[in-house]
Amino acid sequence: MSPATSPAAAPQAPDRATGRERRYDIDLLRVLCTAAVVLVHASAEFIDAGHRTTGILGDTAGRFAVPAFFAMAGWAALSGAPVRDEARLLARLGRILRPMALWTALYLLASYVSGGNRDPAGEEAVRALFGSVEAAFHLWYLYAYVPLLLLLGVVVLVVRGRALPRRSAVLLAALAVAPALLGDVTTLTGWAPPGWAWSVPLSSVVYAVAGAALLAAPRRGPRALWAAAAAVALVVLAVYQLTVRHPAAYGSAAVAAVTFAVLGTVAGVRVPERARPLLARLSDASFGTYLVHLVFVTLLAGPAAGHLPAGPWAPVALAVTTVAAAALSFAVSLLWGRLGWRAWLG
C-alpha cells in the first residue's frame, strides 16, 4: 500500500506496495479528525474547570471524530487498502500495537513520577494489558480499533482468498471468548481480573461498513446539502448534550447524524495541488499526533481553564489552547517521523 492508500483512520504506517492514486480527501478528513480529538480532550479540561457550556460546545464540535475514524478504518480495510495476505494483516496490527505499548508505558511512567497514580504502578501496568488506564485514557480507542481491524481483515481474506487465515482467526477467537473466560476465572478462583476492553461495539462495526460505502461511493449528492445537514446535526447534538446527556454516546443517533454528514461533506473534496504535500505529511503524522497530544492538552488547556475566571473569554481560551496543542503535537510527530522513529512512536 502506497501513501496514496494509507488507511485514513489507521494509526499505522502504510504498506507501500500498490500504485493507487492517493485520496487527498481522506488525508484531509484524517487530519481534521485528529484535530477534533484534540478539541474534545481540551474541552474536557474546561468542563472539569467549571466552564461547562464552553466545554460541551467544544466537545460537540469534535464528537464526530472517533466514529469517523472507524468509518475510515472500514474504508481502508474493505476498499482503499485491503490486505492481500495474513502476514500483511498481522504486520498492520503490529504497527499499531508497538506504539500503543510504548506510549502506554510512557504515560504510566510519567504518572508515577508525577505522583498521579492512585494505584501501584505494577497494578496499573497489568490493567493496561486488559484495557485502557487513566494515565493513557485516550488510548481506549485502540482497544476497539485493533479487534475491528482484525475482524475486517479476516473477512477480506476469507472472502477474497476463500481460505481461513489461521493465526488471525485464532487471535480473533481469543479476543471473542476472553470476557467469558475471565468471568469463569473469577468464579473459580475468586480473583477479579481487570475489565476487558479488547472488543468492538456493534455501532463501531456499522460505522466502519457504512462509512466505507459512503467514502467509496462514486456519487454522494450535492456537497452543499451534506454541509447543511452537518450544521443542523451539530445544533441538534449541542442541544442534546446541554440538556439530555453529556457525553453523548458514540452510537447515539445524534452523533451518527453528525458523523455521516461530515463524511459526506468532506469525501470527494478536491484539495489544491499546492496544499497536497503538506497535507500528506500531516496525514502521515496523525497517529503520532493522537498518541502524544494529551501531553500538550494537559500542559496548556488544563492550566488555562483552571485560571480563567467565569465570563466570555472561555471560548477564546479553548480555541487558542486547542490550536496550540494540536500544532505542537503535529510538530513533534513530524519531527520523529523525519528521524525515522515512527515505527515505535507512531
Side-chain angles (χ1 to χ4, degrees):
M1 182 172 55
S2 69
T5 57
S6 63
Q12 72 255 26
D15 301 324
R16 301 181 185 275
T18 69
R20 301 189 185 191
E21 183 180 355
R22 183 156 191 151
R23 288 280 302 268
Y24 289 100
D25 58 329
I26 300 294
D27 284 333
L28 177 62
L29 187 59
R30 187 181 188 189
V31 173
L32 176 64
C33 289
T34 303
V37 168
V38 179
L39 173 60
V40 167
H41 291 147
S43 298
E45 297 286 346
F46 277 74
I47 293 173
D48 291 343
H51 305 286
R52 181 176 182 272
T53 300
T54 293
I56 289 180
L57 291 178
D59 179 90
T60 298
R63 187 136 287 264
F64 70 90
V66 167
F69 273 132
F70 285 123
M72 289 185 284
W75 170 82
L78 300 175
S79 176
V83 291
R84 292 187 292 180
D85 54 54
E86 185 179 30
R88 297 191 186 195
L89 173 58
L90 295 176
R92 185 174 291 186
L93 295 177
R95 288 193 293 269
I96 303 170
L97 293 171
R98 280 194 303 270
M100 179 184 179
L102 179 60
W103 279 99
T104 298
L106 290 175
Y107 279 110
L108 286 173
L109 178 61
S111 181
Y112 173 75
V113 171
S114 65
N117 266 2
R118 289 171 295 189
D119 298 318
E123 291 183 12
E124 282 286 274
V126 171
R127 194 173 297 132
L129 297 175
F130 292 81
S132 181
V133 291
E134 181 61 28
F137 69 88
H138 65 305
L139 300 185
W140 72 267
Y141 162 72
L142 297 180
Y143 290 87
Y145 185 89
V146 169
L148 174 64
L149 201 65
L150 180 61
L151 172 63
L152 295 179
V154 169
V155 169
V156 167
L157 292 176
V158 169
V159 171
R160 292 192 172 188
R162 304 185 186 281
L164 183 65
R166 296 179 182 177
R167 290 174 294 169
S168 299
V170 169
L171 179 58
L172 188 62
L175 293 177
V177 304
L181 178 61
L182 292 175
D184 293 340
V185 168
T186 300
T187 300
L188 293 172
T189 68
W191 174 64
W196 183 257
W198 293 94
S199 61
V200 54
L202 178 60
S203 62
S204 298
V205 178
V206 173
Y207 278 126
V209 176
L214 179 58
L215 292 173
R219 296 181 181 179
R220 305 175 188 88
R223 195 177 310 281
L225 189 59
W226 284 108
V232 172
L234 280 169
V235 171
V236 172
L237 178 58
V239 172
Y240 175 83
Q241 292 212 113
L242 286 168
T243 60
V244 180
R245 177 182 175 182
H246 174 267
Y250 287 120
S252 69
V255 174
V258 174
T259 300
F260 286 110
V262 170
L263 291 175
T265 301
V266 178
V269 69
R270 187 182 183 282
V271 177
E273 293 278 352
R274 62 182 179 277
R276 292 179 180 181
L278 175 60
L279 181 62
R281 290 196 296 272
L282 292 175
S283 178
D284 292 341
S286 290
F287 184 37
T289 300
Y290 159 74
L291 291 169
V292 75
H293 79 274
L294 199 61
V295 173
F296 296 107
V297 167
T298 303
L299 291 175
L300 297 176
H307 291 88
L308 193 69
W313 291 105
V316 176
L318 175 59
V320 170
T321 54
T322 297
V323 170
L328 289 170
S329 300
F330 271 109
V332 297
S333 181
L334 287 168
L335 175 60
W336 70 57
R338 290 181 64 88
L339 295 174
W341 297 347
R342 198 165 298 289
W344 287 98
L345 293 178

Coordinates of all heavy atoms in Angstrom, one line a residue, residues 17-100:
A17 N 3.0 -0.9 -1.4 CA 3.2 -1.9 -2.5 C 2.4 -1.6 -3.7 O 2.8 -2.0 -4.8 CB 2.9 -3.3 -2.0
T18 N 1.2 -0.9 -3.6 CA 0.4 -0.7 -4.8 C 0.6 0.7 -5.3 O 1.2 1.5 -4.6 CB -1.1 -0.9 -4.4 OG1 -1.5 0.1 -3.5 CG2 -1.3 -2.2 -3.7
G19 N 0.1 1.0 -6.4 CA 0.2 2.3 -7.0 C -1.1 3.0 -7.2 O -1.2 3.8 -8.1
R20 N -2.0 2.9 -6.2 CA -3.2 3.6 -6.3 C -3.1 5.1 -6.1 O -2.2 5.5 -5.4 CB -4.2 3.0 -5.3 CG -4.5 1.5 -5.4 CD -5.6 1.1 -4.5 NE -5.8 -0.4 -4.5 CZ -6.8 -1.0 -4.0 NH1 -7.8 -0.3 -3.4 NH2 -6.9 -2.3 -4.1
E21 N -4.0 5.8 -6.7 CA -3.9 7.2 -6.6 C -4.3 7.6 -5.2 O -5.2 7.1 -4.6 CB -4.9 7.9 -7.6 CG -4.9 9.4 -7.5 CD -5.9 10.0 -8.5 OE1 -6.5 9.2 -9.2 OE2 -6.1 11.2 -8.5
R22 N -3.6 8.6 -4.6 CA -3.8 9.0 -3.2 C -5.1 9.7 -3.1 O -5.5 10.6 -3.9 CB -2.6 9.9 -2.8 CG -2.8 10.3 -1.3 CD -1.4 10.6 -0.7 NE -1.5 10.8 0.7 CZ -0.6 10.5 1.6 NH1 0.6 10.2 1.1 NH2 -0.7 10.7 2.9
R23 N -5.8 9.4 -2.0 CA -7.1 10.1 -1.7 C -6.8 11.2 -0.8 O -6.7 11.0 0.4 CB -8.1 9.1 -1.1 CG -8.7 8.0 -2.0 CD -9.8 8.6 -2.8 NE -10.9 9.2 -2.0 CZ -12.0 8.5 -1.6 NH1 -12.1 7.2 -2.0 NH2 -12.9 9.1 -0.9
Y24 N -6.6 12.4 -1.3 CA -6.3 13.5 -0.5 C -7.5 14.0 0.3 O -7.3 14.6 1.4 CB -5.7 14.7 -1.4 CG -4.3 14.4 -1.9 CD1 -4.2 14.0 -3.2 CD2 -3.2 14.6 -1.1 CE1 -2.9 13.7 -3.7 CE2 -1.9 14.3 -1.6 CZ -1.8 13.9 -2.9 OH -0.5 13.6 -3.4
D25 N -8.7 13.7 -0.1 CA -9.8 14.0 0.7 C -9.8 13.2 2.0 O -10.2 13.7 3.0 CB -11.1 13.8 -0.1 CG -11.3 12.3 -0.6 OD1 -10.2 11.7 -0.9 OD2 -12.4 11.9 -0.8
I26 N -9.3 11.9 1.9 CA -9.2 11.1 3.1 C -8.1 11.6 4.0 O -8.3 11.6 5.2 CB -8.9 9.6 2.7 CG1 -10.0 9.1 1.8 CG2 -8.8 8.8 3.9 CD1 -11.4 8.9 2.5
D27 N -7.0 12.1 3.4 CA -6.0 12.7 4.2 C -6.6 13.9 4.9 O -6.3 14.1 6.1 CB -4.8 13.2 3.3 CG -4.0 12.0 2.8 OD1 -3.9 11.0 3.6 OD2 -3.3 12.2 1.8
L28 N -7.3 14.7 4.2 CA -7.9 15.9 4.9 C -8.9 15.5 6.0 O -8.8 16.1 7.1 CB -8.7 16.7 3.8 CG -9.5 17.9 4.3 CD1 -8.5 19.0 4.9 CD2 -10.3 18.6 3.2
L29 N -9.7 14.5 5.8 CA -10.6 14.0 6.8 C -9.8 13.5 8.0 O -10.1 13.7 9.2 CB -11.5 13.0 6.3 CG -12.6 12.5 7.2 CD1 -13.5 13.6 7.6 CD2 -13.4 11.4 6.4
R30 N -8.7 12.8 7.8 CA -7.9 12.2 8.8 C -7.3 13.3 9.7 O -7.3 13.3 10.9 CB -6.8 11.4 8.2 CG -6.0 10.6 9.2 CD -4.9 9.8 8.5 NE -4.2 8.9 9.4 CZ -3.1 8.2 9.1 NH1 -2.6 8.3 7.9 NH2 -2.5 7.4 10.0
V31 N -6.7 14.4 9.1 CA -6.1 15.5 9.8 C -7.2 16.2 10.6 O -7.0 16.6 11.7 CB -5.4 16.4 8.8 CG1 -4.9 17.7 9.6 CG2 -4.2 15.7 8.2
L32 N -8.4 16.5 9.9 CA -9.5 17.1 10.6 C -9.9 16.4 11.8 O -10.2 17.0 12.9 CB -10.6 17.3 9.6 CG -11.9 17.9 10.1 CD1 -11.7 19.3 10.6 CD2 -13.0 17.8 9.1
C33 N -10.0 15.1 11.7 CA -10.5 14.3 12.9 C -9.4 14.2 14.0 O -9.8 14.2 15.2 CB -10.8 12.8 12.4 SG -12.3 12.7 11.4
T34 N -8.2 14.2 13.6 CA -7.1 14.3 14.6 C -7.2 15.6 15.4 O -7.1 15.6 16.7 CB -5.7 14.1 14.0 OG1 -5.7 12.9 13.2 CG2 -4.6 14.1 15.0
A35 N -7.4 16.7 14.7 CA -7.5 18.0 15.4 C -8.8 18.0 16.3 O -8.8 18.6 17.4 CB -7.5 19.1 14.4
A36 N -9.8 17.3 15.8 CA -11.1 17.3 16.5 C -10.9 16.5 17.8 O -11.5 16.9 18.9 CB -12.2 16.7 15.7
V37 N -10.1 15.5 17.8 CA -9.8 14.7 19.1 C -9.1 15.6 20.1 O -9.5 15.6 21.3 CB -9.0 13.5 18.8 CG1 -8.5 12.8 20.0 CG2 -9.8 12.4 18.0
V38 N -8.2 16.4 19.6 CA -7.5 17.4 20.5 C -8.6 18.3 21.1 O -8.5 18.6 22.3 CB -6.4 18.1 19.8 CG1 -5.8 19.1 20.7 CG2 -5.4 17.2 19.2
L39 N -9.5 18.8 20.3 CA -10.5 19.7 20.8 C -11.4 19.0 21.8 O -11.7 19.7 22.8 CB -11.4 20.2 19.6 CG -12.6 21.0 19.9 CD1 -12.2 22.3 20.6 CD2 -13.4 21.3 18.7
V40 N -11.8 17.8 21.6 CA -12.6 17.1 22.6 C -11.9 17.0 23.9 O -12.5 17.2 25.0 CB -13.0 15.7 22.1 CG1 -13.6 14.8 23.2 CG2 -13.9 15.8 20.9
H41 N -10.6 16.6 23.9 CA -9.9 16.5 25.2 C -9.6 17.8 25.9 O -9.6 17.9 27.1 CB -8.6 15.6 25.0 CG -8.9 14.2 24.7 ND1 -8.2 13.5 23.8 CD2 -10.0 13.4 25.1 CE1 -8.7 12.2 23.7 NE2 -9.8 12.2 24.5
A42 N -9.3 18.8 25.1 CA -9.2 20.2 25.6 C -10.5 20.7 26.2 O -10.5 21.3 27.3 CB -8.7 21.2 24.6
S43 N -11.6 20.3 25.6 CA -12.9 20.7 26.1 C -13.2 20.1 27.4 O -13.8 20.7 28.3 CB -14.0 20.3 25.1 OG -13.8 21.0 23.9
A44 N -12.7 18.8 27.6 CA -12.9 18.1 28.9 C -12.2 18.9 30.0 O -12.7 18.9 31.1 CB -12.4 16.7 28.8
E45 N -11.0 19.5 29.7 CA -10.3 20.2 30.7 C -11.2 21.5 31.1 O -11.2 21.8 32.3 CB -9.0 20.7 30.2 CG -8.0 19.6 29.9 CD -7.4 18.9 31.1 OE1 -7.6 19.5 32.2 OE2 -6.8 17.8 31.0
F46 N -11.8 22.1 30.2 CA -12.6 23.3 30.5 C -13.9 22.9 31.3 O -14.3 23.6 32.2 CB -13.0 24.0 29.2 CG -11.9 24.9 28.7 CD1 -10.8 24.4 28.1 CD2 -12.1 26.3 28.9 CE1 -9.8 25.3 27.7 CE2 -11.1 27.2 28.5 CZ -9.9 26.6 27.9
I47 N -14.5 21.7 31.0 CA -15.6 21.2 31.7 C -15.2 21.0 33.2 O -15.9 21.4 34.1 CB -16.2 20.0 31.1 CG1 -16.8 20.3 29.7 CG2 -17.3 19.4 32.0 CD1 -17.3 19.1 28.9
D48 N -14.1 20.3 33.4 CA -13.6 20.0 34.7 C -13.3 21.3 35.5 O -13.4 21.3 36.7 CB -12.3 19.1 34.6 CG -12.6 17.7 34.1 OD1 -13.8 17.3 34.1 OD2 -11.6 17.1 33.7
A49 N -12.9 22.3 34.8 CA -12.6 23.6 35.5 C -13.9 24.5 35.7 O -13.8 25.6 36.3 CB -11.6 24.4 34.7
G50 N -15.0 24.0 35.3 CA -16.3 24.7 35.6 C -16.8 25.5 34.4 O -17.9 26.1 34.5
H51 N -16.2 25.5 33.3 CA -16.7 26.2 32.1 C -17.5 25.2 31.3 O -17.1 24.8 30.2 CB -15.5 26.7 31.3 CG -14.6 27.6 32.1 ND1 -14.9 28.9 32.4 CD2 -13.4 27.4 32.6 CE1 -13.9 29.4 33.1 NE2 -13.0 28.5 33.2
R52 N -18.7 24.8 31.8 CA -19.4 23.7 31.3 C -20.0 24.0 29.8 O -19.8 23.1 28.9 CB -20.6 23.4 32.2 CG -21.5 22.2 31.7 CD -22.6 21.9 32.7 NE -23.3 20.7 32.2 CZ -24.4 20.8 31.4 NH1 -24.8 22.0 31.0 NH2 -25.0 19.7 31.0
T53 N -20.6 25.1 29.6 CA -21.2 25.4 28.3 C -20.1 25.4 27.2 O -20.3 24.8 26.2 CB -21.9 26.7 28.3 OG1 -23.0 26.7 29.3 CG2 -22.5 27.0 27.0
T54 N -19.0 26.1 27.5 CA -17.9 26.2 26.5 C -17.4 24.8 26.3 O -17.1 24.4 25.1 CB -16.8 27.1 27.1 OG1 -17.3 28.4 27.1 CG2 -15.6 27.0 26.1
G55 N -17.2 24.0 27.3 CA -16.6 22.7 27.1 C -17.5 21.8 26.3 O -17.1 21.0 25.5
I56 N -18.8 21.8 26.6 CA -19.7 21.0 25.9 C -19.9 21.4 24.5 O -19.9 20.5 23.6 CB -21.1 21.0 26.6 CG1 -21.0 20.2 28.0 CG2 -22.2 20.3 25.7 CD1 -22.3 20.2 28.7
L57 N -19.9 22.6 24.2 CA -19.9 23.1 22.8 C -18.7 22.7 22.0 O -18.7 22.3 20.9 CB -20.1 24.6 22.7 CG -21.5 25.1 23.2 CD1 -21.5 26.6 23.1 CD2 -22.6 24.5 22.4
G58 N -17.5 22.8 22.7 CA -16.3 22.3 22.0 C -16.3 20.8 21.8 O -15.9 20.3 20.7
D59 N -16.8 20.1 22.8 CA -16.9 18.6 22.7 C -17.9 18.3 21.5 O -17.6 17.3 20.7 CB -17.5 18.0 24.0 CG -17.6 16.5 23.9 OD1 -16.7 15.8 24.2 OD2 -18.7 16.1 23.5
T60 N -19.0 19.0 21.4 CA -19.9 18.8 20.3 C -19.3 18.9 18.9 O -19.5 18.1 18.0 CB -21.1 19.7 20.4 OG1 -21.8 19.5 21.7 CG2 -22.1 19.6 19.3
A61 N -18.4 20.0 18.8 CA -17.8 20.2 17.5 C -16.8 19.1 17.1 O -16.6 18.9 15.9 CB -17.1 21.6 17.6
G62 N -16.3 18.4 18.1 CA -15.3 17.3 17.8 C -15.8 15.9 18.0 O -15.1 15.0 17.7
R63 N -17.1 15.7 18.4 CA -17.6 14.4 18.7 C -17.7 13.5 17.6 O -17.7 12.2 17.7 CB -18.9 14.5 19.5 CG -19.4 13.2 20.1 CD -19.9 13.4 21.5 NE -18.9 13.6 22.4 CZ -18.3 12.7 23.1 NH1 -18.7 11.4 23.0 NH2 -17.3 13.0 24.0
F64 N -17.7 14.0 16.3 CA -17.8 13.1 15.2 C -16.4 12.4 14.9 O -16.4 11.4 14.1 CB -18.1 14.0 13.9 CG -17.0 14.9 13.5 CD1 -16.0 14.4 12.6 CD2 -16.8 16.1 14.0 CE1 -14.9 15.3 12.2 CE2 -15.8 17.0 13.7 CZ -14.8 16.5 12.8
A65 N -15.3 12.8 15.5 CA -14.0 12.3 15.1 C -13.8 10.8 15.3 O -13.4 10.1 14.4 CB -12.9 13.1 15.9
V66 N -14.2 10.3 16.5 CA -13.9 8.9 16.7 C -14.8 8.0 15.8 O -14.3 7.1 15.2 CB -14.2 8.5 18.2 CG1 -14.2 7.0 18.4 CG2 -13.1 9.1 19.0
P67 N -16.1 8.2 15.6 CA -16.9 7.4 14.7 C -16.3 7.6 13.2 O -16.3 6.6 12.5 CB -18.3 8.0 14.8 CG -18.4 8.6 16.1 CD -17.0 9.1 16.4
A68 N -15.9 8.8 12.9 CA -15.3 9.0 11.5 C -14.0 8.2 11.4 O -13.7 7.6 10.3 CB -15.0 10.5 11.3
F69 N -13.2 8.0 12.4 CA -12.0 7.2 12.4 C -12.4 5.7 12.1 O -11.8 5.0 11.3 CB -11.2 7.3 13.7 CG -10.2 8.4 13.7 CD1 -10.2 9.3 14.8 CD2 -9.4 8.6 12.6 CE1 -9.2 10.3 14.8 CE2 -8.5 9.7 12.6 CZ -8.4 10.5 13.7
F70 N -13.5 5.3 12.8 CA -13.9 3.9 12.5 C -14.4 3.8 11.0 O -14.2 2.7 10.4 CB -15.0 3.5 13.5 CG -14.6 3.2 14.8 CD1 -15.1 3.9 15.9 CD2 -13.7 2.2 15.1 CE1 -14.6 3.6 17.2 CE2 -13.2 1.9 16.4 CZ -13.7 2.6 17.4
A71 N -15.1 4.8 10.5 CA -15.5 4.8 9.2 C -14.4 4.7 8.2 O -14.4 4.0 7.2 CB -16.4 6.0 8.9
M72 N -13.3 5.5 8.5 CA -12.2 5.5 7.6 C -11.4 4.2 7.7 O -10.8 3.7 6.7 CB -11.3 6.7 7.9 CG -11.8 8.0 7.5 SD -10.7 9.4 7.7 CE -10.9 9.6 9.5
A73 N -11.4 3.6 8.9 CA -10.8 2.2 9.0 C -11.6 1.2 8.2 O -10.9 0.4 7.5 CB -10.9 1.8 10.5
G74 N -12.9 1.3 8.1 CA -13.6 0.4 7.3 C -13.3 0.6 5.8 O -13.2 -0.3 5.0
W75 N -13.2 1.9 5.4 CA -12.9 2.2 4.0 C -11.5 1.6 3.7 O -11.3 1.0 2.6 CB -12.9 3.7 3.8 CG -12.3 4.1 2.4 CD1 -12.9 4.0 1.3 CD2 -10.9 4.4 2.2 NE1 -12.1 4.4 0.2 CE2 -10.8 4.7 0.8 CE3 -9.8 4.6 3.0 CZ2 -9.7 5.0 0.2 CZ3 -8.6 5.0 2.3 CH2 -8.6 5.2 1.0
A76 N -10.5 1.8 4.6 CA -9.2 1.3 4.3 C -9.2 -0.2 4.2 O -8.6 -0.8 3.3 CB -8.2 1.8 5.4
A77 N -9.9 -0.9 5.1 CA -9.8 -2.4 5.2 C -10.6 -3.0 4.1 O -10.2 -4.1 3.6 CB -10.3 -2.8 6.6
L78 N -11.7 -2.4 3.7 CA -12.6 -3.0 2.7 C -12.5 -2.5 1.3 O -12.8 -3.3 0.4 CB -14.1 -2.8 3.2 CG -14.4 -3.4 4.6 CD1 -15.9 -3.0 4.9 CD2 -14.3 -4.9 4.6
S79 N -12.0 -1.3 1.1 CA -11.9 -0.7 -0.2 C -10.6 -0.1 -0.5 O -10.0 -0.4 -1.6 CB -13.0 0.3 -0.3 OG -13.0 1.0 -1.6
G80 N -10.1 0.8 0.3 CA -8.9 1.6 0.0 C -7.6 0.8 0.0 O -6.8 1.0 -0.9
A81 N -7.4 0.0 1.0 CA -6.2 -0.7 1.1 C -6.4 -2.1 1.8 O -5.8 -2.4 2.8 CB -5.2 0.1 1.9
P82 N -7.2 -3.0 1.2 CA -7.4 -4.3 1.8 C -6.1 -5.1 1.8 O -5.4 -5.1 0.9 CB -8.5 -4.9 0.9 CG -8.4 -4.2 -0.4 CD -7.9 -2.8 -0.1
V83 N -6.0 -5.9 2.9 CA -4.8 -6.7 3.0 C -4.9 -7.8 2.0 O -6.0 -8.3 1.7 CB -4.6 -7.3 4.4 CG1 -4.2 -6.2 5.4 CG2 -5.8 -8.0 4.9
R84 N -3.7 -8.3 1.5 CA -3.7 -9.3 0.5 C -3.3 -10.7 1.0 O -3.4 -11.7 0.3 CB -2.7 -8.9 -0.7 CG -3.2 -7.7 -1.5 CD -2.4 -7.5 -2.7 NE -1.0 -7.0 -2.3 CZ -0.1 -6.7 -3.2 NH1 -0.3 -6.8 -4.5 NH2 1.1 -6.2 -2.8
D85 N -2.8 -10.7 2.3 CA -2.4 -12.0 2.9 C -2.4 -11.8 4.4 O -2.4 -10.7 4.9 CB -1.1 -12.6 2.3 CG 0.0 -11.6 2.5 OD1 0.3 -11.1 3.6 OD2 0.7 -11.3 1.4
E86 N -2.3 -12.9 5.1 CA -2.3 -12.8 6.6 C -1.1 -12.1 7.1 O -1.2 -11.4 8.1 CB -2.5 -14.2 7.1 CG -2.6 -14.2 8.7 CD -2.8 -15.6 9.2 OE1 -2.2 -16.6 8.6 OE2 -3.5 -15.8 10.3
A87 N 0.0 -12.3 6.5 CA 1.3 -11.7 7.0 C 1.1 -10.2 7.0 O 1.6 -9.5 8.0 CB 2.5 -12.1 6.2
R88 N 0.5 -9.6 6.0 CA 0.3 -8.2 6.0 C -0.7 -7.7 7.0 O -0.6 -6.6 7.5 CB -0.1 -7.7 4.5 CG 1.0 -8.1 3.5 CD 0.8 -7.4 2.2 NE 1.8 -7.9 1.2 CZ 2.0 -7.4 0.1 NH1 1.3 -6.3 -0.3 NH2 2.9 -7.8 -0.8
L89 N -1.7 -8.5 7.2 CA -2.7 -8.1 8.3 C -2.0 -8.1 9.6 O -2.2 -7.1 10.4 CB -3.8 -9.2 8.3 CG -4.8 -9.0 9.4 CD1 -5.5 -7.6 9.4 CD2 -5.9 -10.1 9.3
L90 N -1.2 -9.1 9.9 CA -0.5 -9.1 11.2 C 0.5 -8.0 11.3 O 0.7 -7.4 12.4 CB 0.1 -10.5 11.5 CG -0.9 -11.7 11.6 CD1 -0.1 -13.0 11.7 CD2 -1.8 -11.5 12.7
A91 N 1.2 -7.7 10.2 CA 2.1 -6.6 10.2 C 1.4 -5.3 10.5 O 1.9 -4.4 11.2 CB 2.9 -6.6 8.9
R92 N 0.2 -5.1 9.9 CA -0.5 -3.9 10.1 C -0.9 -3.7 11.6 O -0.9 -2.7 12.1 CB -1.8 -3.9 9.2 CG -2.6 -2.6 9.2 CD -3.8 -2.7 8.2 NE -3.3 -2.6 6.9 CZ -4.1 -2.5 5.8 NH1 -5.4 -2.5 6.0 NH2 -3.6 -2.4 4.6
L93 N -1.3 -4.9 12.2 CA -1.7 -4.8 13.6 C -0.4 -4.5 14.4 O -0.5 -3.7 15.4 CB -2.2 -6.2 14.1 CG -3.6 -6.6 13.5 CD1 -3.9 -8.0 14.0 CD2 -4.6 -5.6 13.8
G94 N 0.7 -5.0 14.1 CA 2.0 -4.7 14.8 C 2.3 -3.2 14.7 O 2.9 -2.7 15.7
R95 N 2.0 -2.6 13.6 CA 2.3 -1.2 13.5 C 1.4 -0.3 14.4 O 1.7 0.9 14.6 CB 2.2 -0.7 12.0 CG 3.4 -1.3 11.2 CD 3.4 -0.6 9.8 NE 2.3 -0.9 9.0 CZ 2.2 -1.9 8.1 NH1 3.3 -2.7 8.0 NH2 1.2 -2.1 7.4
I96 N 0.3 -0.9 14.9 CA -0.5 -0.2 15.9 C 0.0 -0.5 17.3 O 0.1 0.3 18.1 CB -2.0 -0.6 15.7 CG1 -2.5 -0.3 14.3 CG2 -2.8 0.1 16.7 CD1 -3.8 -1.0 14.0
L97 N 0.2 -1.8 17.5 CA 0.4 -2.3 18.9 C 1.8 -1.8 19.4 O 1.9 -1.6 20.6 CB 0.3 -3.8 18.9 CG -1.1 -4.4 18.6 CD1 -1.0 -5.9 18.5 CD2 -2.0 -4.0 19.8
R98 N 2.8 -1.7 18.6 CA 4.1 -1.3 19.1 C 4.1 0.1 19.7 O 4.4 0.3 20.9 CB 5.2 -1.4 18.0 CG 5.7 -2.8 17.8 CD 7.0 -2.7 16.9 NE 6.8 -2.0 15.6 CZ 6.4 -2.7 14.5 NH1 6.1 -4.0 14.6 NH2 6.2 -2.0 13.4
P99 N 3.6 1.1 18.9 CA 3.5 2.5 19.5 C 2.5 2.5 20.7 O 2.7 3.3 21.7 CB 3.0 3.3 18.4 CG 3.4 2.6 17.1 CD 3.3 1.1 17.5
M100 N 1.4 1.8 20.6 CA 0.4 1.7 21.6 C 1.1 1.3 23.0 O 0.9 1.9 24.0 CB -0.7 0.8 21.3 CG -1.8 0.7 22.3 SD -3.0 -0.5 21.8 CE -4.2 -0.5 23.2

